[in-house]
Each structure stands twice: as C-alpha cells, then as structure tokens.
Amino acid sequence: MKNTFNKLRQKETIIVPSILFVLVLLAYGLLTPHMGFYWDDWPFAWLLRFFGPTEFIAAFRSFRPFLGPIFTMTTALFGGDPFTWQLVGLAIRFLLSLELWYVLRLIWPSQKLNSMWVALLFTVYPGYQQQWVSLTHVNQEIIPLTWLIASFGVTAYAIRNEHLRKRLTILALILQAMGLFSTEYFFGLEILRFFFLLAIFAEIFTVRKDWIKKAAYYWFPYFCVWILNAAWTYAYHHSAAYNSYDISILSSTSFSPLAIGNEILTTISLSGFMSWLNTFSIISTIDGTLTQILSLTILLVSTLIVFISMRIIPNGTTDQPSIKQDSWGPWAMSIGLVAIFAGRLPSWAAGLPLKLEFDYDRFFMSIMFGASLFIVGLATFILKDGKRKVFILSLLIGLSTAYQFSVSNTFRRDTANQRDIFWQMAWRMPAIEKGTVLLTYELPLKYVSDLQITAPLNWMYASTITDRKLPYLLLYIKSRFNSKTLPSLQPNVPIQLQYRTVEFNGSTSKSVVIYKEADGCLRVLDSVYANAETVPGANYFLLNAIPLSNPNLILAQAPQPILDKRLFGSEPAHGWCYFYEKAELARQQSDWEGVVKLYAQAKKAGQSAFIPVENLPFIEAFAMSGDTDTAIKLIERTIKEQSTLCLALYTLWDRVSQIQGSSIGIDTVLQESCKA
C-alpha cells in the first residue's frame, strides 16, 4: 500500500489532467445535452447554414478581419450543430487549462503546487460565466488566448533550452501575432511575458539589474510585434473599413484622476474579490431545490477531490533554483494585479463597463488568469503552505465549480424558454409575409436579444435565402426605439438594418407586435382583439406600438413551419399554450366554432389559462356561439383573478353585441363584477 501511495504521488502528469477534466465536466459539462445556441451563436450558425463557412471572412472584415479565418476553419470542421459546439467548448476549455498549467510549470518549475492551484482556479473562475456561448467564444476568445499562452510557454522553454532559442523564438513570435491580431481582447496581456521573463531570470541571477537587462533583451522582439499590433489596431479603428466600438480611452474624462481611481478600485474589487465571494450564494439560502442539491453535491465532490489530490502531491524539488515561498507570494500577487489590469485594458479603452452580469462578464475572459494568480499569491503570502491554505483554496475551487454548474442551469432554462417561444410562434404564426418586422418591448429571455433572435426567426420562416435581403426582423422597442434602426413608432417610418452581410428593409407599417409575459403564452397584439386594454400596466412604448400591428401579415392558412429539432427541439406536448395559440389564430379568422372546439380539447386535457387574459378569445367565441352560460363563467373567473381586465371585457362585449345583440346576463355580470 505504501509503495502504491508513493507511486501515485509521483504521477503528477496523470493526476493534474484528471482533476482538470473532472472540474470542467462538473462545472460546465453535466447539462451539455440540454444546451443550445446563445447570443451571437445564432447569427453565426445562421450565416454558416445559408452562406457557408467562407461567409465569415466578409462578416468579420469590418471589425476583426483576422478573426474570420478562424471561424471559417472551425465551422468547416465542426459544422453548425449546437451539441457539437458544446462538446468543442468543453474540450478546448480543458486544453486551455492544461496548457496554462504546463506554461506555469515552465516559468516556476519549483512551484509545483502553486502552479496547480492557479490552473485549477483558472479553470472554474466564476467571474466569466459564458462558457456555454460556445460557437462565439471558442472562436472569438478561447482560441486566440490559447495561442498567446502557448507563445508564453514557447518563450519560457526557449530560455530553459538555450540551444533551441532562435528557432523557438520564431515560433513564439508567430503564436504571439496569431493571438494578438485575431482579437483585441488580449492586447494588454503581452506585458506578462516581460514579467514572466523577470521571474525566470530571478532564479538565475542574484543581481536585480541583471534580471531586468536580460528580460528586456529577450522581450525586445515580442515588444516590437506588440507595438506593431498597437499601431495596426489604432490605424484600423480609425479607417473607413472599421465599424464597431470606438476607442474612448483617449477622452479627457477617462484620464481624470477620479475616473482612473474608480476604475482601479472597481476592477480589483470585482475580479479579485467579488467574483469569488459571489460563489457563496449557492449556500446562502437553503431551499431544497434539485439544482441546489446537485450544486452542493458538486461542491462536496470537487472540494474533496482537490483537497486530497493537493495533499498527496508533494511540492517536490527540481534541478532549477527555487524561489522561497515568502517571496513567491508577493511575486504572484504583483504579476496577478498586472495581469488583471492588462486584461481590463481593451474593454476599458472601448468604454465598456466591467460587470458581473451577462453579457459584460465576457470581459473577465482576459482577466481570469490574473485573478487566479493574484488569489493564489495572496493565499500563499497570508497562509503560507499548509493545511489551512489547502483547505481554503480547495473550498474556493469547490464553490466555484458548483457555482458554474448553477449558472449552467440558467443557460439550460434559457434554451427551454427559447424553444418554447419559437414553437408558440410556429403555432400562432404558421407563416409571415416577407418584409415583416416583429416588434416587442422585450422577451423573457436572458441569453439572447432581438438581433440574435432574428436569426432563428428567419431560420423558421425562410427555408431558403436567394439574395442578401433578410426576409424578417425582430426588434426590441426597449433598446432600439429612438435609434437609427427604429427612429419612431409612427406609421410608414422606414426600418433598415445591416445584419452582418445581409440587410433588412421594411417599414413600421409592415409590423406585427408580439408580447409575452414570463408566466404566460406568446400573444399577438392588435387594435381590435388585443389592444392596450388587454395589457394593463404594460410599458408605454409597447402600448404605442400596438396601432402599428397588422395581424393580416400572418398567413393563417399556411402550413406550420418545419422546425429543425437540433435547434428548436422536438414539438412539445400540446399543453395550454398550444390550444391558446391555435385559438388566437382561429379567432383571427373569425372561426368561433374552431375556438370553442379548442377550449373543449384543452379542458379534456386538464389545461386552463396560465394568466387571466388568455380566457378572452374563448369568452368571445362562446358569446359569439350563443353559449352565454360558459361565457359568463369565464368572465367571472377572469375578473376575479384580474379586475384590471374589465375595460378589455367591456370592449369585447361591445364587439359581440354589435353582431349577436345584447345579452342582459353578460351585461349584468360585467357591471356587478367590475364594480366589485
């Protein structure tokens, strides 16, 4: 048994990859089969499907011209299936962590355990919560970061192997250029190479002046590439070809002492402390939900695995001179702080805020290495080496792993919500006239917005694209009103949008207004059946858009669109929203008998309205069909649950009475119930 234990202690190259793999799986991979596309994944997948991989060259030309080839190569290799991209995301996240661990071992060969701690914390860093936006971030950030970190590793290896230095320097410069020119995210991180060189030469030379001279000498070719990248980035951002974020760091307000001080405090607070402290939220309230039970189980398992592993692996000795633990802690803290601010530099330069919320948390991708190095350095400086440090860092890793799993569950729910909305669209709107814009204030979706939803909307309703004209557009009034895209909510106002490499041309007079409460079904609003009275308390801008809505743009007699199961899932079981959407579609055609039949089917299936307003089409159908008793029962139930719908019910009854004649029973119920 003792021999087995000793052998296990020496197999660091097996244990570390195994732990990293388990953490990636527990944090990000358990819900993989239930994930889909999010944010920019949707338009990228749509471009791939309808125009092919080479379309990314043109799609990125206006703001990241060297990023297009990456998308072209990876999408040609992996295709456009969301499940495949989730697996690719897991694989490359694992490889990135493995690479970082190896590079740290090259830089600090005497710091075996500390290198492991940094790699483990980096793997589950809780500030960055967009792992599942895989098609976008694998290509846009993780691959370039992998190249840049590989460049650091090749540089360190070249220093350790002087006979290979010239050839390896060329390779490192190529990797550096690939990492920096493809995206601006990691521009600031190049400064770390100089500090890594200092750390290496600190083990070789005793005089500090010699460290700096050697580090500057070896860093010089990389510095030249860095300056070249800065010059190119600046020139391109000021050229006519560029069309994205402006560089705002040069403004006087950005350089004011107050602004700089605030930025320093905010960046350190969020990345170095709050991101870690947020993980305690999974145990702050014990509510017994399945998600929390699974999160606590993951917390326990991951903490134990890391704690046991770090206790059985010795720090060990190497042939390289070692840095004392007392000095390594300040080294790591200092370099970590430099890395944090270097990682923040690009987003700060663009005037973009750093927040622990979607979608601003993507900026932590360039910060998470510095934050991980800083926290390990801080723990080493305060706690030294020992059980307390091992326990605290193991617990922090466990909390972060469980926290990332809890975040993954919010992505899973968002996929379910997306698919639910798309299927309700398909039931309510079997086809839509081309050139139509769907207007809504906002949909209850967290990880996708209006322009991203435009991609699956067109995927649903336009099976082929023959030109560069986009057939459909979805706009959030909340974010687009009073902008170039949606300047006003008056009739006949042109709506134009350049959507990557295609464009939409429409008008506010060719619109359908949709609305969905979080706990209700999707609704098509209009001036007749679903006017402002049916959405009491709704946002002012949504109410102003209702007169623009033209349900006749919905082709009611068309067959239901065929939805790709990989993207939209299988058609759900026909619950209440199915019957409601079909009833709304039938009411649009004045098919009152059809609406009554749908209500009978819903009742037989044990289904009833989620929110009171969903009773309205059935009340109208029963009244139009002469079934006054059922209409009265639904009216009473609706008013009891939501009295603010009285105005809508009066308007509904006016429509009915104009055709069917007045009914004393319904008049009396409305007057008595609404007065009450």
Side-chain angles (χ1 to χ4, degrees), residues 285-350:
T285 302
I286 305 298
D287 54 18
T289 61
L290 179 59
T291 299
Q292 188 175 64
I293 292 172
L294 290 173
S295 297
L296 293 176
T297 302
I298 290 170
L299 165 61
L300 180 62
V301 170
S302 53
T303 300
L304 285 175
I305 288 174
V306 172
F307 182 83
I308 293 171
S309 299
M310 299 302 273
R311 291 294 293 166
I312 68 173
I313 295 178
N315 212 7
T317 58
T318 68
D319 295 333
Q320 302 292 336
S322 64
I323 294 178
K324 294 180 181 179
Q325 294 299 99
D326 289 344
S327 61
W328 187 87
W331 261 107
M333 289 169 59
S334 301
I335 297 177
L337 286 174
V338 169
I340 286 172
F341 290 113
R344 171 61 174 140
L345 180 62
S347 54
W348 182 42

Side-chain angles (χ1 to χ4, degrees), residues 172-480:
L173 288 169
I174 293 172
L175 289 168
Q176 176 200 24
M178 292 167 63
L180 293 180
F181 279 87
S182 54
T183 178
E184 73 283 355
Y185 266 72
F186 310 111
F187 170 79
L189 294 185
E190 173 55 35
I191 191 65
L192 293 182
R193 194 188 311 264
F194 177 74
F195 286 92
F196 289 153
L197 289 169
L198 280 179
I200 292 172
F201 289 122
E203 295 182 337
I204 300 174
F205 300 102
T206 56
V207 180
R208 184 172 300 178
K209 186 190 300 183
D210 293 336
W211 308 352
I212 299 173
K213 287 173 61 177
K214 278 287 187 179
Y217 173 77
Y218 278 89
W219 188 49
F220 181 73
Y222 304 102
F223 176 75
C224 292
V225 173
W226 194 29
I227 294 300
L228 179 63
N229 174 248
W232 178 87
T233 301
Y234 182 82
Y236 190 77
H237 277 62
H238 286 79
S239 70
Y242 179 77
N243 182 25
S244 190
Y245 297 116
D246 294 326
I247 298 177
S248 63
I249 196 174
L250 300 180
S251 66
S252 58
T253 55
S254 297
F255 274 114
S256 69
L258 183 62
I260 293 175
N262 180 67
E263 183 60 40
I264 289 173
L265 291 175
T266 299
T267 301
I268 294 177
S269 172
L270 291 178
S271 59
F273 297 101
M274 289 305 301
S275 56
W276 304 108
L277 292 175
N278 273 356
T279 62
F280 286 88
S281 63
I282 65 171
I283 56 176
S284 60
T285 302
I286 305 298
D287 54 18
T289 61
L290 179 59
T291 299
Q292 188 175 64
I293 292 172
L294 290 173
S295 297
L296 293 176
T297 302
I298 290 170
L299 165 61
L300 180 62
V301 170
S302 53
T303 300
L304 285 175
I305 288 174
V306 172
F307 182 83
I308 293 171
S309 299
M310 299 302 273
R311 291 294 293 166
I312 68 173
I313 295 178
N315 212 7
T317 58
T318 68
D319 295 333
Q320 302 292 336
S322 64
I323 294 178
K324 294 180 181 179
Q325 294 299 99
D326 289 344
S327 61
W328 187 87
W331 261 107
M333 289 169 59
S334 301
I335 297 177
L337 286 174
V338 169
I340 286 172
F341 290 113
R344 171 61 174 140
L345 180 62
S347 54
W348 182 42
L352 298 169
L354 188 67
K355 298 180 181 180
L356 288 168
E357 62 183 53
F358 190 86
D359 68 312
Y360 296 108
D361 60 303
R362 69 187 188 275
F363 303 132
F364 286 95
M365 167 62 77
S366 56
I367 292 174
M368 60 186 186
F369 167 66
S372 302
L373 185 60
F374 170 76
I375 207 71
V376 176
L378 183 65
T380 302
F381 179 69
I382 295 175
L383 303 174
K384 312 304 179 184
D385 282 329
K387 290 182 179 179
R388 286 189 305 164
K389 175 184 171 183
V390 174
F391 173 75
I392 290 174
L393 290 182
S394 296
L395 179 61
L396 192 57
I397 291 168
L399 285 166
S400 300
T401 305
Y403 181 78
Q404 290 285 16
F405 169 77
S406 68
V407 174
S408 78
N409 194 46
T410 66
F411 277 86
R412 178 197 63 79
R413 285 198 295 265
D414 207 63
T415 291
N417 291 336
Q418 285 182 39
R419 291 175 174 177
D420 183 46
I421 288 174
F422 294 140
W423 276 105
Q424 289 185 45
M425 281 186 183
W427 294 331
R428 176 62 181 88
M429 301 181 286
I432 309 172
E433 189 174 316
K434 289 187 177 181
T436 298
V437 57
L438 297 187
L439 294 176
T440 186
Y441 185 71
E442 188 178 29
L443 292 174
L445 297 171
K446 184 175 183 179
Y447 299 119
V448 66
S449 189
D450 54 348
L451 297 187
Q452 288 80 35
I453 302 172
T454 291
L457 176 69
N458 281 274
W459 214 321
M460 288 172 59
Y461 291 111
S463 58
T464 59
I465 302 291
T466 57
D467 53 26
R468 298 285 170 174
K469 302 298 182 183
L470 197 64
Y472 309 102
L473 180 65
L474 188 143
L475 292 179
Y476 280 179
I477 302 171
K478 176 182 180 180
S479 52
R480 307 298 169 185

